[in-house]
Amino acid sequence: MLEETEARRRILERTSPGSVIWVPLELALDQILAQQIVAVMDSPPFDNSSMDGYAVRAAEAMVGARLPVVEGIQAAGVDLGLELKPGEAIRIFTGAAIPKGADAVIMQEDVDREGDSIIIREGVELGENIRVRGGDVCAGQILSRRGEVLTPARIGLLASQGIPEVPVHSKPLAHIITTGDELVEPGSPLLPGEIYNSNAPMLQTAVIRAGAVGGVSHAVDDPAELREVLVNALAASDLVIIAGGVSVGERDFVQEVLNELGVVTEFWRVKVKPGKPFLFGVHPDGTLVFGLPGNPVSAYVTFSLFVAPVIRRLRGDETESTSVGIGSLSGLAEESMHNAGDRPHYLRGICENGRVRLSGTQQSHAIFGLSRANCLVRLEAGQEVAPGESVPCHWI
Ligand code: AMP
Ligand code: MG
């Protein structure tokens, strides 16, 4: 049985980022930049007013001074090319270009308007209320580096530079196959002995959250049907994720069918709980194949530990490593915890304010506790944790 870190290393070494494509900004959210982006211009691109008021020379705008306001209003949008002559003021609005000769903008609240003149009530400093060209960004400056996630604010920054599209790695196509005679889609009635298919929407949304495009198919426990579904999925995807049927029960056909289709099993079974029967294989055309245990909690934990990192790496996340951030988070146990088994155990936990407690029943089918959890707590084989001790966790 393979150690968990070694398993992840062997999967990640088969994984490299997808091809670079250019996507419009509005479709770039949460994608990862494939190349650094450099500012093409200064921002702001010209000196402009941060207030509604009057463009003046600061030295002339002493308290009590009366300045005639010249004709023409400098509003945002069009630079009228006005020039401020000594002793005058020009009406100006927020975002408008500063007229030549002006070195400050006095807020309209700080003057009294009398006919065509203003009388200064509060003085103004040199440069006050002027947003200078390049004061935020200078041409040539790095705006965002390769590997950074495109947040709404970074997308806004690129738009402010007139950049309409960004280079990202194409989203991997992941196809999920659920297996089992007992499974019924939500929305249909259950017959005795049946249960609802919770893995399909859970894994599909997990795949989307990790950054891939996800499709789903279902196969009953029949080798011919599984073969057909698998052939289609292998042909159309970068990753195929099969849930259930990967063990050695009489009704577990996944390994047999994968073999028939030429998928080389790189390993089966990992030293981790839940999730021992996890399988990783590669099809001759390069498609990566993952077999997850069918129990929903086991499926989710193995997806988080072994599949999500692959998707993030395929999207271009270069920080992804074999540790997947385990241990970068820790919490002080609020209760005693014990792993009596001989494999590392990932318990479902709730980590809040640096303290961690377990979230309900810890069995592999118990999806309620998983739904309340925000982290996995890692306990080594045989480890006992007393209240107040620190335990490594992993956000989920
Ligand atoms: P298997 O790995 O196929 O032996 O399934 C292990 C357990 O997980 C069984 O109790 C199955 O009924 C359950 N299971 C398998 N697939 C799903 C699914 N898609 N949704 C909910 N439970 C499942
Ligand atoms: Mg099954």
Side-chain angles (χ1 to χ4, degrees):
M1 218 185 320
L2 214 55
E3 295 289 336
E4 177 197 341
T5 311
E6 174 63 7
R8 208 153 31 233
R9 193 189 65 71
R10 285 177 57 178
I11 300 169
L12 286 174
E13 86 185 2
R14 304 300 297 255
T15 310
S16 50
S19 53
V20 175
I21 54 166
W22 290 75
V23 297
L25 290 184
E26 59 276 19
L27 299 182
L29 180 63
D30 289 338
Q31 305 222 48
I32 296 172
L33 256 192
Q35 293 164 16
Q36 83 173 14
I37 308 258
V38 170
V40 291
M41 62 182 211
D42 290 338
S43 180
F46 51 90
D47 293 354
N48 69 91
S49 176
S50 64
M51 287 289 168
D52 293 333
Y54 296 86
V56 294
R57 285 187 172 79
E60 295 171 354
M62 317 280 236
V63 179
R66 171 184 291 267
L67 304 176
V69 179
V70 301
E71 227 173 280
I73 294 176
Q74 183 58 72
V78 183
D79 185 347
L80 300 177
L82 299 177
E83 193 171 341
L84 184 74
K85 304 212 177 61
E88 291 180 345
I90 293 176
R91 186 76 171 116
I92 192 166
F93 294 133
T94 305
I98 301 294
K100 210 189 277 168
D103 58 22
V105 170
I106 190 159
M107 282 163 62
Q108 61 193 34
E109 293 87 340
D110 289 346
V111 304
D112 290 314
R113 179 91 191 213
E114 281 185 9
D116 286 343
S117 296
I118 51 169
I119 298 168
I120 310 295
R121 253 198 283 132
E122 291 267 346
V124 68
E125 310 253 319
L126 187 70
E128 204 174 327
N129 300 323
I130 293 180
R131 306 188 284 213
V132 296
R133 172 177 176 159
D136 184 22
V137 170
C138 289
Q141 178 182 333
I142 295 172
L143 296 174
S144 199
R145 292 176 195 281
R146 189 173 87 170
E148 285 182 343
V149 176
L150 288 155
T151 59
R154 287 175 184 159
I155 288 171
L157 170 68
L158 300 177
S160 77
Q161 287 278 316
I163 295 169
E165 344 176 278
V166 278
V168 298
H169 294 282
S170 57
K171 284 193 178 194
L173 303 177
H175 197 92
I176 295 140
I177 300 173
T178 57
T179 67
D181 291 341
E182 72 281 29
L183 298 172
V184 174
E185 295 310 311
S188 301
L190 281 185
L191 296 176
E194 294 179 334
I195 58 169
Y196 284 116
N197 185 348
S198 43
N199 283 340
M202 178 175 69
L203 293 173
Q204 188 178 18
T205 47
V207 154
I208 292 168
R209 176 184 275 180
V213 177
V216 189
S217 304
H218 181 72
V220 295
D221 293 318
D222 166 59
E225 179 166 324
L226 183 59
R227 192 177 308 120
E228 190 185 326
V229 169
L230 253 168
V231 165
N232 291 332
L234 286 167
S237 333
D238 302 306
L239 292 81
V240 174
I241 302 159
I242 309 161
V246 283
S247 290
V248 285
E250 305 272 292
R251 310 288 294 163
D252 291 336
F253 299 112
V254 169
Q255 301 204 50
E256 170 190 324
V257 174
L258 287 176
N259 276 337
E260 274 177 40
L261 295 178
V263 173
V264 177
T265 299
E266 296 280 323
F267 60 82
W268 172 60
R269 309 223 288 180
V270 180
K271 213 169 163 190
V272 62
K273 181 181 173 182
K276 186 165 86 173
F278 178 80
L279 176 148
F280 171 59
V282 183
H283 187 260
D285 75 2
T287 307
L288 306 179
V289 179
F290 302 90
L292 315 184
N295 269 309
V297 174
S298 314
Y300 193 79
V301 170
T302 46
F303 178 87
S304 306
L305 295 178
F306 302 115
V307 189
V310 171
I311 294 176
R312 293 193 293 260
R313 176 73 68 89
L314 288 168
R315 293 173 59 208
D317 184 348
E318 291 163 353
T319 65
E320 201 53 64
S321 72
T322 54
S323 77
V324 287
I326 293 160
S328 59
L329 173 71
S330 65
L332 300 180
E334 284 185 15
E335 56 190 294
S336 46
M337 301 175 189
H338 182 208
N339 177 8
D342 60 357
R343 288 172 275 155
H345 192 174
Y346 283 96
L347 298 151
R348 277 67 68 199
I350 299 170
C351 187
E352 279 170 344
N353 303 322
R355 300 162 68 87
V356 64
R357 61 186 189 279
L358 300 182
S359 71
T361 310
Q362 294 289 325
Q363 287 165 298
S364 299
H365 67 286
I367 197 169
F368 180 73
L370 177 66
S371 80
R372 305 315 301 166
N374 66 2
C375 70
L376 297 175
V377 180
R378 182 188 160 100
L379 294 191
E380 299 302 331
Q383 188 179 357
E384 284 193 60
V385 174
E389 277 183 51
S390 175
V391 280
C393 309
H394 174 53
W395 291 124
I396 52 169

